[in-house]
């Protein structure tokens, strides 16, 4: 599962890291609490097109929806069933992207049922690139065109199971071109859990439980003494 993200890098740095031309509509950052329906930064590419970094709405809208809320909010897609689901099966063949983030949040519950947030990043400090699928959608009422995206998830690797039973599919830099379709077919084996030593996490303050919270303090390690 991936329900919140943080992105702190400036667009120019991200574009250089991913060798992609940045669109002038990228969301202003940093954003320490990216929520579903917010814009996220993605990298697109393909065999016949240059890489591009652009913004897409987080929450894929299938083409048959008449309104954005005509059905469930599809922020994630399960890799195990993505080829069978009408909302995703064409996108997994033709519209794959990398969703860029510095980290993401997951939650555990304490003995009283309270939700304790954890901030998860790459151990090597590099940005994360989640496997994503995008879908264009036109609002029948307004004629507005949207590009919308969902992140792929898989069963969690052994360390992550302590926090959540699912995790995003993380595409390693050496595999970016294959996932984007720049190196032909054969991307299906990339839809797997990250190696056990890729990720690191720490507890953060419960302030991030609110989707209105903002600021760099959201990703700082939680200090129970200060909280008291």
């Amino acid at each position: 599962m991936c329900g919140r993200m943080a992105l702190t890098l400036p667009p120019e740095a991200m574009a250089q890291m991913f060798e992609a031309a940045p669109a002038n509509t990228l969301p202003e950052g940093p954003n320490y609490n990216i929520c579903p329906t917010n814009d996220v930064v993605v990298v697109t590419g393909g065999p016949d097109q240059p890489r591009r970094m652009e913004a897409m709405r987080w929450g894929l809208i299938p083409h048959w929806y008449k309104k954005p809320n005509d059905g469930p909010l599809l922020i994630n897609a399960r890799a195990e069933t993505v080829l069978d689901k009408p909302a995703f099966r064409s996108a997994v063949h033709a519209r794959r992207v990398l969703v860029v983030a510095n980290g993401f949040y997951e939650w555990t519950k304490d003995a009283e049922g309270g939700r304790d947030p954890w901030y998860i990043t790459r151990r090597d400090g590099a940005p994360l690139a989640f496997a994503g699928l995008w879908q264009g959608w036109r609002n029948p009422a307004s004629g507005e065109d949207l590009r919308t995206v969902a992140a792929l998830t898989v069963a969690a690797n052994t360390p992550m199971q302590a926090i959540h039973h699912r995790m995003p599919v993380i595409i390693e830099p050496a595999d970016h071109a294959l996932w984007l379709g720049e190196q032909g077919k054969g991307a299906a084996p990339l839809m797997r859990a990250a190696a056990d030593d890729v990720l690191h996490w720490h507890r953060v303050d419960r302030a991030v439980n609110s989707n209105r919270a903002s600021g760099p303090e959201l990703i700082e390690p939680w200090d129970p003494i200060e909280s008291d």
Side-chain angles (χ1 to χ4, degrees):
M1 182 66 180
C2 179
R4 301 274 191 89
M5 307 181 199
L7 182 59
T8 63
L9 290 168
E12 298 79 9
M14 289 187 292
Q16 185 174 7
M17 289 179 181
F18 288 89
E19 300 179 334
N24 57 13
T25 55
L26 291 175
E28 293 185 8
N31 188 339
Y32 297 91
N33 194 6
I34 301 170
C35 303
T37 74
N38 292 166
D39 281 349
V40 293
V41 173
V42 307
V43 177
T44 61
D48 302 313
Q49 63 187 67
R51 286 189 192 179
R52 181 173 172 81
M53 183 166 280
E54 60 182 278
M56 291 189 183
R57 177 192 185 269
W58 186 16
L60 185 143
I61 305 177
H63 66 84
W64 60 83
Y65 277 27
K66 302 300 182 185
K67 298 178 294 184
N69 58 354
D70 262 359
L73 184 61
L74 304 177
I75 62 171
N76 295 317
R78 296 173 75 93
E80 298 90 339
T81 59
V82 72
L83 292 172
D84 303 320
K85 300 294 184 181
F88 305 122
R89 61 188 176 208
S90 65
V92 76
H93 291 296
R95 294 188 301 279
R96 299 193 298 267
V97 298
L98 301 170
V99 181
V100 182
N102 286 92
F104 65 103
Y105 299 95
E106 287 295 358
W107 282 260
T108 56
K109 288 188 177 180
D110 65 15
E112 289 75 38
R115 299 176 73 237
D116 293 330
W118 299 79
Y119 183 59
I120 304 158
T121 62
R122 286 190 64 106
R123 192 177 295 274
D124 61 10
L128 291 157
F130 302 139
L133 310 173
W134 76 271
Q135 172 68 54
W137 183 78
R138 170 165 286 191
N139 189 324
S142 66
E144 178 188 15
D145 288 318
L146 289 178
R147 288 192 171 200
T148 67
V149 65
L152 285 174
T153 67
V154 289
N157 61 24
T158 300
M160 270 292 297
Q161 289 173 14
I163 297 178
H164 201 278
H165 67 285
R166 305 286 297 177
M167 67 183 299
V169 173
I170 297 167
I171 305 297
E172 291 295 326
D175 296 321
H176 289 176
L178 181 57
W179 180 253
L180 292 174
E182 297 168 349
Q183 294 180 344
K185 300 181 179 180
L190 302 180
M191 295 190 290
R192 61 181 184 266
D196 288 354
D197 61 350
V198 169
L199 298 177
H200 166 81
W201 50 86
H202 58 261
R203 249 302 303 274
V204 293
D205 194 271
R206 287 185 178 180
V208 77
N209 291 2
S210 169
N211 59 13
R212 297 184 180 87
S214 62
E217 64 275 9
L218 297 181
I219 66 172
E220 294 297 322
W222 176 62
D223 187 337
I225 296 176
E226 288 187 4
S227 297
D228 294 340

